[in-house]
Amino acid sequence: MRKIKIVTDSTIDVSDEVLQKYGIEMVPLMITIEGKSFLDRIDISPSEFLNKMKQAAQLPKSSQPSTGQFVELYDRLDEEGYDVISIHMTGGMSGTVASAETAAEISKANVTVVDSRFLSKALSFQVLEAAKMASDGKSVDDIVNRLTEIRNNSFLYLTVDTLENLVKGGRIGKGKAFIGSLLNIKPISSLEGGSITPVGKVRSQSQIVKYLTKQFVKDVEGKVIKAVGIAHADARDLAGKLKEAISHASGYEEIEIVDTTPVISLHTGAGAMSIMYFAE
């Protein structure tokens, strides 16, 4: 049986040290700021990107890895004796999965592409489990079946602090953004089926914490909590308050807080926060 290598993309929101520990290959997305391009997670840090985004006259743009990047990686891994499971951010928000699928058809390697239907820490729940199973000698089918179970038992909730990026991206008019800012509305959404779905709106950070804590307790009731992560874009104080509330309500304390990758903060804007968890 050939060895199995796990491939993912830069929206995974785990450290390089963790990727290296599990031998995971990461293909970066690209960010363009006023004509200059940066490899996500490689050429620019989360804090550097937020500063540049605030100063930019136009909203930066992101782009998926090219099919050629994936083909080159898959072919190299094949030559090294690996079959490949390539797990990526939701296809509902990026063409990364489609690019990987096209590459899998071209490459001489045996590649299985998986749409995680998630991103950030929720993507990492699947990627890290796949890497652990691969190191234990599990088959591709066993790993893919397990990823389906994790996906079906994962949750992601997102709140944004500003509507500015939606305005710059042409998604809503300036008038609506102005009214929203006057009302101090903080929308809360979930990532269901790989797409963002509005689930509620509150008017303060304390209400955000209360809402998400209540939702967490409801979602994990009667289940074993396997993993919890909080990702944010310049919202560490809010993330810390939510971590404290979740720990107090559930007794679960292994909650990692991370600065989300530039590609994600590009779309959410500064002040955004997401909580992700896996329980079964």
Side-chain angles (χ1 to χ4, degrees), residues 98-110:
S99 185
E101 288 173 339
T102 301
E105 295 175 359
I106 297 171
S107 173
K108 59 186 178 182
N110 180 18

Side-chain angles (χ1 to χ4, degrees), residues 165-179:
N165 282 42
L166 294 175
V167 173
K168 286 185 176 180
R171 302 298 175 87
I172 61 173
K174 291 183 179 180
K176 290 183 179 180
F178 180 67
I179 292 172

Side-chain angles (χ1 to χ4, degrees), residues 29-33 38 40 49 59-65 89 93-94 262-264 266-267:
L29 278 75
M30 183 80 74
I31 294 171
T32 302
I33 308 173
F38 302 85
D40 186 38
F49 173 74
L59 187 68
K61 297 180 180 180
S62 64
S63 56
Q64 68 214 39
M89 70 175 292
M93 297 175 67
S94 169
V263 160
I264 295 177
L266 184 163
H267 297 287

Side-chain angles (χ1 to χ4, degrees), residues 196-271:
I196 293 178
T197 303
V199 295
K201 51 189 176 183
V202 298
R203 294 192 177 181
S204 68
Q205 286 198 351
S206 62
Q207 289 179 353
I208 290 172
V209 171
K210 183 177 180 180
Y211 183 103
L212 292 176
T213 301
K214 182 179 179 181
Q215 188 66 49
F216 177 89
V217 171
K218 176 184 176 182
D219 289 338
V220 304
E221 184 178 4
K223 301 178 181 180
V224 176
I225 301 170
K226 298 289 189 175
V228 183
I230 298 174
H232 70 94
D234 198 22
R236 182 163 288 275
D237 181 61
L238 176 60
K241 291 177 180 176
L242 180 59
K243 175 180 178 178
E244 184 178 351
I246 294 291
S247 296
H248 179 75
S250 66
Y252 190 88
E253 298 184 347
E254 297 176 33
I255 302 172
E256 184 181 11
I257 297 176
V258 299
D259 297 306
T260 196
T261 191
V263 160
I264 295 177
S265 59
L266 184 163
H267 297 287
T268 63

Side-chain angles (χ1 to χ4, degrees), residues 19-35:
L19 295 176
Q20 291 167 7
K21 176 181 178 181
Y22 292 102
I24 298 165
E25 296 275 354
M26 187 274 290
V27 181
L29 278 75
M30 183 80 74
I31 294 171
T32 302
I33 308 173
E34 297 184 326

